[in-house]
């Protein structure tokens, strides 16, 4: 059986999506916790939180979940515990359905990397066989991350894509949250 790790990537800039009247730090913590709860609920996956300079994330982690500091998002895959496969999920996608993570892992059966593209550019999540080669280090905010990674790949069919989703990058993006989806309770509570 494959060993897998799923990490939630949290950066300070994600707080910029806080709508007016909502404390940015609280909003960031709520999004990160909702995304982490989704990841931690996945079966056969070891959860991890990656913090690029955001304090207090130990408070949202279940006992035994590592909270690992990283210098920048570019270091995300290198910081993961060595399993066979891993996925990095951007914390600003609190209503991401877990099924989309499963689809990325399934794509690794035919590709070295699988990307859940973000509406408006960038990536919501990136899954990879570990360790990740240098050419595959993703920039989650690169406008066309899939095309960029395919250009860097040393061969064809090394980068697969799954269904896309949205990220919360600006206050108006909260309108993209799907009220019909379960989860994202902490973010929802701040918005109501």
């Amino acid at each position: 059986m494959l060993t897998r790790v799923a990490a939630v990537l949290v950066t300070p800039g994600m707080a910029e999506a806080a709508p007016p009247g909502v404390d940015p730090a609280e909003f960031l913590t709520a999004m990160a916790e909702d995304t982490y709860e989704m990841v931690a609920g996945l079966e056969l996956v070891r959860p991890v939180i990656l913090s690029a300079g955001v304090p207090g994330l130990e408070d949202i982690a279940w006992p035994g979940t590592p909270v690992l500091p990283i210098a920048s998002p570019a270091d995300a895959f290198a910081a993961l515990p060595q399993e066979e496969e891993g996925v990095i999920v951007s914390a600003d996608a609190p209503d991401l359905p877990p099924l989309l993570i499963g689809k990325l892992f399934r794509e690794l059966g035919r590709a070295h990397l699988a990307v859940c593209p973000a509406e408006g550019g960038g990536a919501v999540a990136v899954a990879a066989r570990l360790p990740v080669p240098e050419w595959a280090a993703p920039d989650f905010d690169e406008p066309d991350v899939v095309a960029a990674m395919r250009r860097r790949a040393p061969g064809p069919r090394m980068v697969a894509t799954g269904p896309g989703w949205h990220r919360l990058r600006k206050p108006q993006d909260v309108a993209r949250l799907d009220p019909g989806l379960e989860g994202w309770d902490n973010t929802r509570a701040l918005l109501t």
Side-chain angles (χ1 to χ4, degrees):
M1 180 185 316
L2 285 173
T3 57
R4 292 178 170 153
V5 62
V8 176
L9 174 63
V10 188
T11 65
M14 293 176 179
E16 295 172 13
V22 176
D23 178 82
E26 284 183 42
F27 190 72
L28 175 57
T29 300
M31 286 192 307
E33 186 170 6
D34 287 338
T35 306
Y36 167 73
E37 291 286 334
M38 181 276 296
V39 164
L42 296 170
E43 292 186 29
L44 307 174
V45 173
R46 180 178 168 198
V48 173
I49 297 174
L50 299 175
S51 173
V54 177
L57 295 175
E58 294 81 8
D59 297 338
I60 67 170
W62 294 359
T65 297
V67 178
L68 306 174
I70 57 173
S72 76
D75 301 324
F77 274 109
L80 292 182
Q82 288 307 303
E83 305 289 353
E84 293 174 87
E85 294 180 346
V87 64
I88 308 288
V89 182
S90 184
D92 56 4
D95 65 338
L96 180 68
L99 177 65
L100 297 185
I101 301 302
K103 288 179 182 273
L104 293 180
F105 279 127
R106 187 178 69 214
E107 289 294 330
L108 294 182
R110 66 178 187 88
H112 289 276
L113 227 66
V115 180
C116 172
E119 292 174 10
V124 175
V126 178
R129 296 180 197 163
L130 299 176
V132 174
E134 272 188 43
W135 66 264
D139 176 351
F140 277 72
D141 293 317
E142 191 164 7
D144 193 347
V145 67
V146 174
M149 294 176 83
R150 285 181 174 157
R151 277 193 304 274
R152 292 192 307 260
R157 298 189 182 124
M158 297 186 87
V159 180
T161 58
W165 198 251
H166 51 260
R167 289 173 51 193
L168 306 183
R169 300 178 193 170
K170 301 175 292 229
Q172 57 267 35
D173 290 342
V174 298
R176 293 180 172 184
L177 291 167
D178 188 337
L181 289 175
E182 291 183 17
W184 66 280
D185 297 334
N186 298 294
T187 306
R188 189 186 322 253
L190 284 177
L191 297 175
T192 55

